[in-house]
Amino acid sequence: MNDLERIAEVLAGAESVLLVSHVSPDGDTIGSTLGIMWALRALSVPVRVACDDPVPQEAAFLPGAELYTTEPYAGEDVVLGVDASDMRRLGNIVAGVDVESIILAEIDHHSTNQGFAALNYVRETSATAELALDLVRVLGAPLDGRIATCLLTGLVSDTRGFRTSSTTVDSLATAHALVAVGGDLGLVTDRLFNHVSPAARRLWSVALADQHLDEGILWIDLPLALLESLGEGEPDTRGLIGLLISFDEAKIAALFRELPEGGIDVSLRSRPGIDVATVAYALGGGGHPQAAGCQLPGALSDERPRVLAALKQALLAARKA
Ligand SMILES: [Mn+2]
């Protein structure tokens, strides 16, 4: 399934290239895309970057982040999807792409990727940024500090600062190569992890005042009334679940958020060896063993006990294992 050299060849020879980051973008899709963009620019290949959703705050410092538009496919002869496991993740940007007449290529590291493009560089790595570095090298573009900082952002973002179990010796070798050419690890780490938004800070201040610890399950309700009391703008609930599972007493962390359209959103995190993906999956959601979630149609007060009961079963299963 690996078409790395052919992808490099068609990109280098293209009249125009469109690079597409996935919807609800993260540091990996943005950093990898921008790293490839700078490499192609150095080779004088006309290239454009696009994404259905805005660049998230933590990646907005990257050189070139301001070049993103939501303008859909506009006749470019090569389209490269970055960090997307299927075509849907590329959003409306690629709605007008005729796969018969242009070259659709992709680079991605998700294990569920079936190779949806004509050319696929798909390999299970800690971040797509690892694969993006392979591509930049095969392209023969000079690897400079600017490209390195973009790719490092992808790598540090997906490994949460080299803390996930997906972090391998290859992740560290990639980091070594990127820092060696001027990638700014201190800057990247600071931007990714030390900038909680004002909206999140307001939420944490209120939400943490009403925590519940039940047999190793640390949970918090986020009712609509609480979210609406926070004032201007969208509430920023990202990060809160990560904070909860970092608390010493938590074996499992759960966040129950009421949705404006009815029903609730459930976010789950767990310690190594405790599988919350099975719980989420049984409730119609999904995820990874230590990070999963689902949405449930009922009222918060009805759904929460059901989820907590299932989580207690997961804790019991982990104790027996
Ligand atoms: Mn990724």
Side-chain angles (χ1 to χ4, degrees):
M1 220 201 293
N2 286 349
D3 296 322
L4 174 61
E5 278 169 6
R6 289 210 51 214
I7 292 173
E9 195 177 279
V10 298
L11 286 173
E15 298 281 325
S16 57
V17 171
L18 173 61
L19 304 178
V20 187
S21 300
H22 65 67
V23 297
S24 306
D26 56 20
D28 190 26
T29 193
I30 299 292
S32 298
T33 300
L34 289 175
I36 296 165
M37 181 197 76
W38 289 118
L40 290 173
R41 285 197 167 198
L43 300 172
S44 302
V45 176
V47 57
R48 180 165 86 78
V49 292
C51 182
D52 263 357
D53 296 310
V55 172
Q57 177 55 35
E58 68 267 20
F61 76 100
L62 286 176
E66 72 284 357
L67 300 173
Y68 268 93
T69 70
T70 55
E71 195 192 320
Y73 172 72
E76 288 87 357
D77 50 21
V78 179
V79 173
L80 179 74
V82 181
D83 193 39
S85 53
D86 59 64
M87 193 78 172
R88 253 179 326 124
R89 295 279 293 159
L90 298 176
N92 292 323
I93 304 289
V94 298
V97 169
D98 175 10
V99 292
E100 302 298 320
S101 59
I102 67 133
I103 296 174
L104 177 67
E106 58 142 344
I107 65 165
D108 182 44
H109 69 126
H110 292 98
S111 60
T112 51
N113 191 312
Q114 300 290 314
F116 62 87
L119 297 175
N120 307 282
Y121 182 44
V122 176
R123 209 151 57 75
E124 232 183 300
T125 52
S126 64
T128 290
E130 286 191 45
L131 308 177
L133 177 59
D134 294 344
L135 179 57
V136 170
R137 281 173 165 155
V138 175
L139 279 167
L143 187 58
D144 59 18
R146 184 167 58 182
I147 293 176
T149 294
C150 291
L151 299 185
L152 205 49
T153 297
L155 186 64
V156 173
S157 176
D158 265 21
T159 61
R160 308 310 297 158
F162 309 108
R163 289 180 300 170
T164 60
S165 56
S166 61
T167 304
T168 65
V169 67
D170 288 338
S171 326
L172 299 173
T174 302
H176 178 272
L178 295 173
V179 173
V181 296
D184 193 338
L185 182 59
L187 173 69
V188 166
T189 304
D190 179 65
R191 297 309 310 187
L192 287 176
F193 303 122
N194 298 340
H195 287 266
V196 175
S197 72
R201 186 182 57 78
R202 285 195 296 272
L203 171 71
W204 293 10
S205 315
V206 180
L208 291 176
D210 195 16
Q211 308 169 39
H212 305 262
L213 184 62
D214 184 0
E215 297 176 34
I217 303 167
L218 186 63
W219 60 270
I220 286 183
D221 276 344
L222 298 178
L224 271 181
L226 182 150
L227 295 170
E228 282 162 1
S229 75
L230 297 172
E232 78 263 35
E234 281 283 294
D236 185 352
T237 58
R238 298 177 313 155
L240 179 56
I241 189 74
L243 183 65
L244 291 188
I245 194 62
S246 75
F247 291 143
D248 191 38
E249 301 109 313
K251 294 189 174 71
I252 291 177
L255 204 55
F256 300 98
R257 176 166 59 95
E258 262 184 341
L259 299 170
E261 64 270 25
I264 63 167
D265 180 276
V266 183
S267 281
L268 303 171
R269 296 288 184 277
S270 63
R271 300 283 177 184
I274 302 168
D275 177 13
V276 288
T278 308
V279 173
Y281 186 77
L283 294 168
H288 306 286
Q290 286 180 252
C294 61
Q295 296 204 340
L296 300 170
L300 178 58
S301 53
D302 298 330
E303 301 285 18
R304 188 205 323 105
R306 200 154 78 88
V307 178
L308 289 174
L311 292 174
K312 284 175 192 171
Q313 290 302 313
L315 271 181
L316 246 133
R319 256 182 227 125
K320 280 182 193 151

